[in-house]
PDB file of all heavy atoms in Angstrom:
ATOM      1  N   GLU I   1     -14.714 165.923 -82.778  1.00 97.00           N
ATOM      2  CA  GLU I   1     -15.321 165.113 -81.694  1.00 97.00           C
ATOM      3  C   GLU I   1     -16.357 164.142 -82.295  1.00 97.00           C
ATOM      4  O   GLU I   1     -16.434 162.977 -81.926  1.00 97.00           O
ATOM      5  CB  GLU I   1     -15.974 166.011 -80.657  1.00 97.00           C
ATOM      6  CG  GLU I   1     -14.989 166.826 -79.814  1.00 97.00           C
ATOM      7  CD  GLU I   1     -14.376 168.003 -80.587  1.00 97.00           C
ATOM      8  OE1 GLU I   1     -14.971 168.451 -81.633  1.00 97.00           O
ATOM      9  OE2 GLU I   1     -13.285 168.466 -80.136  1.00 97.00           O
ATOM     10  N   SER I   2     -17.173 164.656 -83.241  1.00 98.00           N
ATOM     11  CA  SER I   2     -18.192 163.801 -83.837  1.00 98.00           C
ATOM     12  C   SER I   2     -17.613 162.660 -84.675  1.00 98.00           C
ATOM     13  O   SER I   2     -18.126 161.577 -84.723  1.00 98.00           O
ATOM     14  CB  SER I   2     -19.164 164.625 -84.668  1.00 98.00           C
ATOM     15  OG  SER I   2     -18.576 165.125 -85.841  1.00 98.00           O
ATOM     16  N   VAL I   3     -16.436 162.941 -85.309  1.00 97.00           N
ATOM     17  CA  VAL I   3     -15.792 161.914 -86.081  1.00 97.00           C
ATOM     18  C   VAL I   3     -15.373 160.757 -85.190  1.00 97.00           C
ATOM     19  O   VAL I   3     -15.412 159.580 -85.599  1.00 97.00           O
ATOM     20  CB  VAL I   3     -14.586 162.516 -86.863  1.00 97.00           C
ATOM     21  CG1 VAL I   3     -13.745 161.407 -87.416  1.00 97.00           C
ATOM     22  CG2 VAL I   3     -15.088 163.421 -87.969  1.00 97.00           C
ATOM     23  N   ARG I   4     -14.960 161.078 -83.962  1.00 97.00           N
ATOM     24  CA  ARG I   4     -14.526 160.005 -83.025  1.00 97.00           C
ATOM     25  C   ARG I   4     -15.691 159.147 -82.559  1.00 97.00           C
ATOM     26  O   ARG I   4     -15.467 158.066 -81.999  1.00 97.00           O
ATOM     27  CB  ARG I   4     -13.809 160.639 -81.837  1.00 97.00           C
ATOM     28  CG  ARG I   4     -12.410 161.170 -82.195  1.00 97.00           C
ATOM     29  CD  ARG I   4     -11.631 161.438 -80.931  1.00 97.00           C
ATOM     30  NE  ARG I   4     -12.122 162.545 -80.169  1.00 97.00           N
ATOM     31  CZ  ARG I   4     -11.712 163.811 -80.326  1.00 97.00           C
ATOM     32  NH1 ARG I   4     -10.703 164.105 -81.251  1.00 97.00           N
ATOM     33  NH2 ARG I   4     -12.179 164.827 -79.614  1.00 97.00           N
ATOM     34  N   SER I   5     -16.912 159.622 -82.793  1.00 98.00           N
ATOM     35  CA  SER I   5     -18.127 158.836 -82.416  1.00 98.00           C
ATOM     36  C   SER I   5     -18.821 158.192 -83.615  1.00 98.00           C
ATOM     37  O   SER I   5     -19.942 157.655 -83.464  1.00 98.00           O
ATOM     38  CB  SER I   5     -19.083 159.725 -81.648  1.00 98.00           C
ATOM     39  OG  SER I   5     -18.527 160.158 -80.404  1.00 98.00           O
ATOM     40  N   ARG I   6     -18.184 158.195 -84.746  1.00 98.00           N
ATOM     41  CA  ARG I   6     -18.836 157.635 -85.937  1.00 98.00           C
ATOM     42  C   ARG I   6     -18.972 156.121 -85.756  1.00 98.00           C
ATOM     43  O   ARG I   6     -18.135 155.425 -85.223  1.00 98.00           O
ATOM     44  CB  ARG I   6     -17.982 157.922 -87.202  1.00 98.00           C
ATOM     45  CG  ARG I   6     -18.120 159.340 -87.716  1.00 98.00           C
ATOM     46  CD  ARG I   6     -17.253 159.575 -88.920  1.00 98.00           C
ATOM     47  NE  ARG I   6     -17.602 160.887 -89.515  1.00 98.00           N
ATOM     48  CZ  ARG I   6     -16.940 161.427 -90.558  1.00 98.00           C
ATOM     49  NH1 ARG I   6     -15.896 160.735 -91.105  1.00 98.00           N
ATOM     50  NH2 ARG I   6     -17.270 162.606 -91.027  1.00 98.00           N
ATOM     51  N   VAL I   7     -20.101 155.621 -86.329  1.00 98.00           N
ATOM     52  CA  VAL I   7     -20.414 154.180 -86.217  1.00 98.00           C
ATOM     53  C   VAL I   7     -21.125 153.739 -87.511  1.00 98.00           C
ATOM     54  O   VAL I   7     -21.912 154.557 -88.043  1.00 98.00           O
ATOM     55  CB  VAL I   7     -21.219 153.861 -84.968  1.00 98.00           C
ATOM     56  CG1 VAL I   7     -22.553 154.621 -84.991  1.00 98.00           C
ATOM     57  CG2 VAL I   7     -21.407 152.390 -84.786  1.00 98.00           C
ATOM     58  N   ALA I   8     -20.833 152.551 -87.950  1.00 98.00           N
ATOM     59  CA  ALA I   8     -21.446 152.046 -89.201  1.00 98.00           C
ATOM     60  C   ALA I   8     -21.879 150.606 -89.002  1.00 98.00           C
ATOM     61  O   ALA I   8     -21.316 149.862 -88.172  1.00 98.00           O
ATOM     62  CB  ALA I   8     -20.442 152.091 -90.311  1.00 98.00           C
ATOM     63  N   LEU I   9     -22.880 150.202 -89.725  1.00 98.00           N
ATOM     64  CA  LEU I   9     -23.386 148.834 -89.751  1.00 98.00           C
ATOM     65  C   LEU I   9     -23.031 148.188 -91.062  1.00 98.00           C
ATOM     66  O   LEU I   9     -23.334 148.713 -92.140  1.00 98.00           O
ATOM     67  CB  LEU I   9     -24.914 148.800 -89.506  1.00 98.00           C
ATOM     68  CG  LEU I   9     -25.607 147.436 -89.576  1.00 98.00           C
ATOM     69  CD1 LEU I   9     -25.114 146.539 -88.440  1.00 98.00           C
ATOM     70  CD2 LEU I   9     -27.118 147.571 -89.557  1.00 98.00           C
ATOM     71  N   LEU I  10     -22.398 147.014 -90.989  1.00 98.00           N
ATOM     72  CA  LEU I  10     -21.956 146.259 -92.188  1.00 98.00           C
ATOM     73  C   LEU I  10     -22.519 144.852 -92.118  1.00 98.00           C
ATOM     74  O   LEU I  10     -22.121 144.110 -91.212  1.00 98.00           O
ATOM     75  CB  LEU I  10     -20.431 146.272 -92.285  1.00 98.00           C
ATOM     76  CG  LEU I  10     -19.810 145.462 -93.422  1.00 98.00           C
ATOM     77  CD1 LEU I  10     -20.261 145.961 -94.807  1.00 98.00           C
ATOM     78  CD2 LEU I  10     -18.311 145.491 -93.334  1.00 98.00           C
ATOM     79  N   ILE I  11     -23.386 144.486 -93.022  1.00 98.00           N
ATOM     80  CA  ILE I  11     -23.963 143.164 -93.093  1.00 98.00           C
ATOM     81  C   ILE I  11     -23.614 142.540 -94.426  1.00 98.00           C
ATOM     82  O   ILE I  11     -23.913 143.142 -95.510  1.00 98.00           O
ATOM     83  CB  ILE I  11     -25.510 143.181 -92.882  1.00 98.00           C
ATOM     84  CG1 ILE I  11     -25.880 143.779 -91.539  1.00 98.00           C
ATOM     85  CG2 ILE I  11     -26.094 141.820 -93.087  1.00 98.00           C
ATOM     86  CD1 ILE I  11     -27.368 143.986 -91.376  1.00 98.00           C
ATOM     87  N   THR I  12     -22.987 141.343 -94.429  1.00 98.00           N
ATOM     88  CA  THR I  12     -22.609 140.722 -95.680  1.00 98.00           C
ATOM     89  C   THR I  12     -23.050 139.265 -95.634  1.00 98.00           C
ATOM     90  O   THR I  12     -22.659 138.519 -94.737  1.00 98.00           O
ATOM     91  CB  THR I  12     -21.044 140.746 -95.859  1.00 98.00           C
ATOM     92  OG1 THR I  12     -20.583 142.079 -95.658  1.00 98.00           O
ATOM     93  CG2 THR I  12     -20.672 140.326 -97.256  1.00 98.00           C
ATOM     94  N   ASN I  13     -23.842 138.854 -96.580  1.00 98.00           N
ATOM     95  CA  ASN I  13     -24.215 137.463 -96.738  1.00 98.00           C
ATOM     96  C   ASN I  13     -23.363 136.832 -97.782  1.00 98.00           C
ATOM     97  O   ASN I  13     -23.334 137.266 -98.946  1.00 98.00           O
ATOM     98  CB  ASN I  13     -25.701 137.346 -97.058  1.00 98.00           C
ATOM     99  CG  ASN I  13     -26.602 137.537 -95.876  1.00 98.00           C
ATOM    100  OD1 ASN I  13     -26.109 137.571 -94.717  1.00 98.00           O
ATOM    101  ND2 ASN I  13     -27.865 137.715 -96.086  1.00 98.00           N
ATOM    102  N   ILE I  14     -22.557 135.818 -97.399  1.00 98.00           N
ATOM    103  CA  ILE I  14     -21.601 135.164 -98.284  1.00 98.00           C
ATOM    104  C   ILE I  14     -22.044 133.709 -98.544  1.00 98.00           C
ATOM    105  O   ILE I  14     -22.076 133.260 -99.684  1.00 98.00           O
ATOM    106  CB  ILE I  14     -20.185 135.216 -97.658  1.00 98.00           C
ATOM    107  CG1 ILE I  14     -19.772 136.663 -97.392  1.00 98.00           C
ATOM    108  CG2 ILE I  14     -19.161 134.543 -98.616  1.00 98.00           C
ATOM    109  CD1 ILE I  14     -18.484 136.795 -96.556  1.00 98.00           C
ATOM    110  N   GLN I  15     -22.283 132.962 -97.486  1.00 98.00           N
ATOM    111  CA  GLN I  15     -22.639 131.575 -97.597  1.00 98.00           C
ATOM    112  C   GLN I  15     -24.138 131.397 -97.244  1.00 98.00           C
ATOM    113  O   GLN I  15     -24.603 131.885 -96.278  1.00 98.00           O
ATOM    114  CB  GLN I  15     -21.790 130.720 -96.677  1.00 98.00           C
ATOM    115  CG  GLN I  15     -20.344 130.713 -97.045  1.00 98.00           C
ATOM    116  CD  GLN I  15     -19.524 129.823 -96.122  1.00 98.00           C
ATOM    117  OE1 GLN I  15     -19.928 129.526 -94.978  1.00 98.00           O
ATOM    118  NE2 GLN I  15     -18.362 129.347 -96.593  1.00 98.00           N
ATOM    119  N   PHE I  16     -24.809 130.619 -98.115  1.00 97.00           N
ATOM    120  CA  PHE I  16     -26.213 130.355 -98.001  1.00 97.00           C
ATOM    121  C   PHE I  16     -26.506 128.861 -97.689  1.00 97.00           C
ATOM    122  O   PHE I  16     -25.671 128.016 -97.951  1.00 97.00           O
ATOM    123  CB  PHE I  16     -26.984 130.783 -99.262  1.00 97.00           C
ATOM    124  CG  PHE I  16     -27.041 132.287 -99.452  1.00 97.00           C
ATOM    125  CD1 PHE I  16     -25.899 133.005 -99.774  1.00 97.00           C
ATOM    126  CD2 PHE I  16     -28.229 132.928 -99.317  1.00 97.00           C
ATOM    127  CE1 PHE I  16     -25.971 134.368 -99.892  1.00 97.00           C
ATOM    128  CE2 PHE I  16     -28.338 134.302 -99.448  1.00 97.00           C
ATOM    129  CZ  PHE I  16     -27.184 135.035 -99.752  1.00 97.00           C
ATOM    130  N   LYS I  17     -27.650 128.621 -97.116  1.00 97.00           N
ATOM    131  CA  LYS I  17     -28.048 127.202 -96.858  1.00 97.00           C
ATOM    132  C   LYS I  17     -28.013 126.397 -98.122  1.00 97.00           C
ATOM    133  O   LYS I  17     -27.561 125.266 -98.143  1.00 97.00           O
ATOM    134  CB  LYS I  17     -29.464 127.141 -96.185  1.00 97.00           C
ATOM    135  CG  LYS I  17     -29.902 125.799 -95.760  1.00 97.00           C
ATOM    136  CD  LYS I  17     -31.225 125.841 -95.042  1.00 97.00           C
ATOM    137  CE  LYS I  17     -31.655 124.490 -94.520  1.00 97.00           C
ATOM    138  NZ  LYS I  17     -32.928 124.554 -93.791  1.00 97.00           N
ATOM    139  N   ASN I  18     -28.515 126.989 -99.209  1.00 96.00           N
ATOM    140  CA  ASN I  18     -28.369 126.445-100.542  1.00 96.00           C
ATOM    141  C   ASN I  18     -27.019 126.891-101.035  1.00 96.00           C
ATOM    142  O   ASN I  18     -26.882 128.043-101.524  1.00 96.00           O
ATOM    143  CB  ASN I  18     -29.507 126.905-101.429  1.00 96.00           C
ATOM    144  CG  ASN I  18     -29.343 126.431-102.852  1.00 96.00           C
ATOM    145  OD1 ASN I  18     -28.353 125.779-103.259  1.00 96.00           O
ATOM    146  ND2 ASN I  18     -30.310 126.767-103.711  1.00 96.00           N
ATOM    147  N   ARG I  19     -25.987 126.023-100.965  1.00 95.00           N
ATOM    148  CA  ARG I  19     -24.634 126.438-101.334  1.00 95.00           C
ATOM    149  C   ARG I  19     -24.493 126.872-102.741  1.00 95.00           C
ATOM    150  O   ARG I  19     -23.546 127.574-103.073  1.00 95.00           O
ATOM    151  CB  ARG I  19     -23.686 125.312-100.991  1.00 95.00           C
ATOM    152  CG  ARG I  19     -23.676 124.877 -99.543  1.00 95.00           C
ATOM    153  CD  ARG I  19     -23.439 126.033 -98.574  1.00 95.00           C
ATOM    154  NE  ARG I  19     -22.205 126.694 -98.760  1.00 95.00           N
ATOM    155  CZ  ARG I  19     -21.076 126.397 -98.119  1.00 95.00           C
ATOM    156  NH1 ARG I  19     -21.086 125.391 -97.248  1.00 95.00           N
ATOM    157  NH2 ARG I  19     -19.933 127.083 -98.326  1.00 95.00           N
ATOM    158  N   GLY I  20     -25.443 126.573-103.624  1.00 95.00           N
ATOM    159  CA  GLY I  20     -25.421 127.047-104.985  1.00 95.00           C
ATOM    160  C   GLY I  20     -25.609 128.574-105.054  1.00 95.00           C
ATOM    161  O   GLY I  20     -25.352 129.184-106.102  1.00 95.00           O
ATOM    162  N   LEU I  21     -26.097 129.207-103.969  1.00 96.00           N
ATOM    163  CA  LEU I  21     -26.335 130.667-103.910  1.00 96.00           C
ATOM    164  C   LEU I  21     -25.140 131.372-103.306  1.00 96.00           C
ATOM    165  O   LEU I  21     -25.145 132.586-103.167  1.00 96.00           O
ATOM    166  CB  LEU I  21     -27.566 130.952-103.128  1.00 96.00           C
ATOM    167  CG  LEU I  21     -28.888 130.461-103.694  1.00 96.00           C
ATOM    168  CD1 LEU I  21     -30.053 130.781-102.737  1.00 96.00           C
ATOM    169  CD2 LEU I  21     -29.153 131.101-105.059  1.00 96.00           C
ATOM    170  N   ASP I  22     -24.093 130.667-102.890  1.00 97.00           N
ATOM    171  CA  ASP I  22     -22.944 131.304-102.252  1.00 97.00           C
ATOM    172  C   ASP I  22     -22.405 132.434-103.114  1.00 97.00           C
ATOM    173  O   ASP I  22     -22.316 132.293-104.345  1.00 97.00           O
ATOM    174  CB  ASP I  22     -21.817 130.272-101.979  1.00 97.00           C
ATOM    175  CG  ASP I  22     -22.122 129.390-100.782  1.00 97.00           C
ATOM    176  OD1 ASP I  22     -23.214 129.580-100.193  1.00 97.00           O
ATOM    177  OD2 ASP I  22     -21.314 128.491-100.490  1.00 97.00           O
ATOM    178  N   ARG I  23     -22.036 133.552-102.451  1.00 97.00           N
ATOM    179  CA  ARG I  23     -21.625 134.759-103.191  1.00 97.00           C
ATOM    180  C   ARG I  23     -20.082 134.840-103.179  1.00 97.00           C
ATOM    181  O   ARG I  23     -19.500 135.534-102.347  1.00 97.00           O
ATOM    182  CB  ARG I  23     -22.273 135.993-102.543  1.00 97.00           C
ATOM    183  CG  ARG I  23     -23.800 135.975-102.570  1.00 97.00           C
ATOM    184  CD  ARG I  23     -24.419 137.148-101.873  1.00 97.00           C
ATOM    185  NE  ARG I  23     -24.078 138.390-102.579  1.00 97.00           N
ATOM    186  CZ  ARG I  23     -23.303 139.330-102.075  1.00 97.00           C
ATOM    187  NH1 ARG I  23     -22.732 139.192-100.870  1.00 97.00           N
ATOM    188  NH2 ARG I  23     -23.033 140.451-102.758  1.00 97.00           N
ATOM    189  N   HIS I  24     -19.510 134.161-104.098  1.00 96.00           N
ATOM    190  CA  HIS I  24     -18.017 134.143-104.192  1.00 96.00           C
ATOM    191  C   HIS I  24     -17.493 135.563-104.498  1.00 96.00           C
ATOM    192  O   HIS I  24     -18.015 136.244-105.386  1.00 96.00           O
ATOM    193  CB  HIS I  24     -17.567 133.170-105.270  1.00 96.00           C
ATOM    194  CG  HIS I  24     -18.073 131.761-105.035  1.00 96.00           C
ATOM    195  ND1 HIS I  24     -17.603 130.937-104.030  1.00 96.00           N
ATOM    196  CD2 HIS I  24     -19.061 131.063-105.672  1.00 96.00           C
ATOM    197  CE1 HIS I  24     -18.227 129.809-104.062  1.00 96.00           C
ATOM    198  NE2 HIS I  24     -19.116 129.826-105.023  1.00 96.00           N
ATOM    199  N   GLY I  25     -16.506 135.959-103.780  1.00 96.00           N
ATOM    200  CA  GLY I  25     -15.954 137.288-103.940  1.00 96.00           C
ATOM    201  C   GLY I  25     -16.506 138.295-102.938  1.00 96.00           C
ATOM    202  O   GLY I  25     -16.007 139.398-102.778  1.00 96.00           O
ATOM    203  N   ALA I  26     -17.624 137.959-102.252  1.00 97.00           N
ATOM    204  CA  ALA I  26     -18.242 138.816-101.312  1.00 97.00           C
ATOM    205  C   ALA I  26     -17.398 139.040-100.097  1.00 97.00           C
ATOM    206  O   ALA I  26     -17.520 140.066 -99.377  1.00 97.00           O
ATOM    207  CB  ALA I  26     -19.623 138.315-100.918  1.00 97.00           C
ATOM    208  N   ASP I  27     -16.529 138.092 -99.765  1.00 98.00           N
ATOM    209  CA  ASP I  27     -15.557 138.252 -98.648  1.00 98.00           C
ATOM    210  C   ASP I  27     -14.644 139.425 -98.934  1.00 98.00           C
ATOM    211  O   ASP I  27     -14.234 140.149 -98.038  1.00 98.00           O
ATOM    212  CB  ASP I  27     -14.814 137.011 -98.356  1.00 98.00           C
ATOM    213  CG  ASP I  27     -14.070 136.464 -99.595  1.00 98.00           C
ATOM    214  OD1 ASP I  27     -14.580 136.592-100.699  1.00 98.00           O
ATOM    215  OD2 ASP I  27     -12.986 135.929 -99.392  1.00 98.00           O
TER     216      ASP I  27
END
């Protein structure tokens, strides 16, 4: 029952305002 209520938070920063900081491969 607890497995059916599992939840996770996933935050990924890929593109930045300064495009020179873009994290290629992070997708």
